[in-house]
Amino acid sequence: MLNRRRFLTLSSLTALSPDLFALSPDRAAPAPLVVSTWNQPKANAAAEAVLKQGKRALDAVEAGVRVPEADPNDTSVGYGGLPDRDGRVTLDACIMDEKGNAGSVTYLENIMHPISVARAVMEKTPHVMLSGEGALAFALSQGFKKEKLLTASSEKAWREWLKTAKYEPKVNIERHDTIGMLAIDSKGDLSGACTTSGLAYKMNGRVGDSPIIGAGLFVDNEIGGACATGLGELVMRTCGSFLVVELMRQGRTPQQACEEAAKRIVGKQEYKDIQVGFLAVNRQGQVGAYSIQPGFNYTVSQNGLTQVLEAKSFLNK
Ligand code: SD4
């Protein structure tokens, strides 16, 4: 359960910065830390509970992102996700551990927890990514159950959309909950996870950045981790999360690295109506976040304190 007194809301905290969180000297392990894209205190609480048991960051990020995956009211992840234009809920997810191992599923249907299937791909197959029917067959072979993920309200929203069938992903301007999560455990090791149902009313077959290692997520235990949210096409074209980690490797802080990666997109693409947000943490426990449009927030939890913070952005309100 989230400790209410320790959970501070965005409205009371926009003035605070992530530097509030402990920054340990180089190479010393910071206190266990969980960060996630968007307003995800429940997911962070689930991840923190796992870290408290002394488990790996990998276990924490998996447990954390399973929370929105199972939430029927979260319309951009897992169960309850808005469908593609043909009415199919197709899920993308990936996971990466402290050893650089990675697993991913794309275009997965009828499985509530794609992140756990991605982990199984990482741990039980010689591959990194499984897709579509093959991913589903693998999931079933591992004991995952087939479930209907299209909820009545998401189906209703889709049928409403069909009346005009106008595809205009005004990302972020609507609420987005695709979750990218990064965690540092008590040993100082890092892992990350990212999971989504992708853009509402996308073309059938479309896969976004979220399950692509280096685009939606990248972790290098020596340096730090990064994840992305927003219009995946722009993140994929710039290998966004890999870029953020590489910039940190070259000496940028997580904040500077996120800003540089977002500005690369702005320099090359039409960005006026679209959103991309990056979130990063380095292995010293410093956190950074930046987006193109205002309105991207992220959740940071450490030492039992959870904050939802608004990222700085390229465009102002
Ligand atoms: C995608 N990046 O499929 C995802 C969507 C997203 O917040 O992050 N929404 O392109």
Side-chain angles (χ1 to χ4, degrees), residues 37-38 76 92 171-172 175-179 194-200 202 206-211 216 228-236:
T37 54
W38 306 107
S76 42
D92 296 338
V171 179
N172 175 53
R175 189 170 130 73
H176 269 260
D177 308 288
T178 290
I179 185 166
C194 189
T195 179
T196 187
S197 52
L199 296 177
K202 60 194 174 185
R206 182 263 188 190
V207 170
D209 61 315
S210 304
T229 182
L231 192 69
E233 279 72 8
L234 297 190
V235 179
M236 282 190 275

Side-chain angles (χ1 to χ4, degrees), residues 154-293:
S154 286
E155 184 172 354
K156 191 169 165 225
W158 166 62
R159 291 199 184 281
E160 198 53 40
W161 177 82
L162 278 177
K163 289 180 186 162
T164 56
K166 209 167 165 198
Y167 185 63
E168 280 184 329
K170 295 225 165 170
V171 179
N172 175 53
I173 297 155
E174 69 219 63
R175 189 170 130 73
H176 269 260
D177 308 288
T178 290
I179 185 166
M181 179 180 278
L182 305 162
I184 302 180
D185 61 27
S186 54
K187 288 188 181 150
D189 285 331
L190 267 126
S191 291
C194 189
T195 179
T196 187
S197 52
L199 296 177
Y201 320 131
K202 60 194 174 185
M203 287 175 70
N204 181 248
R206 182 263 188 190
V207 170
D209 61 315
S210 304
I212 311 286
I213 299 298
L217 175 74
F218 195 72
V219 174
D220 183 331
N221 205 40
E222 290 293 306
I223 306 298
C227 51
T229 182
L231 192 69
E233 279 72 8
L234 297 190
V235 179
M236 282 190 275
R237 285 180 197 143
T238 50
C239 294
S241 294
F242 180 74
L243 177 60
V244 172
V245 173
E246 286 309 297
L247 289 165
M248 292 195 289
R249 191 191 305 281
Q250 291 163 23
R252 306 283 223 293
T253 63
Q255 184 62 36
Q256 290 165 341
C258 288
E259 292 190 14
E260 172 68 22
K263 285 175 185 164
R264 292 261 181 111
I265 293 174
V266 166
K268 291 197 167 71
Q269 310 280 339
E270 181 47 58
Y271 62 88
K272 290 279 184 300
D273 282 331
I274 55 93
Q275 175 65 302
V276 169
F278 290 109
L279 174 64
V281 61
N282 64 15
R283 64 169 288 127
Q284 289 79 39
Q286 273 182 306
V287 179
Y290 193 74
S291 56
I292 297 175
Q293 310 284 338

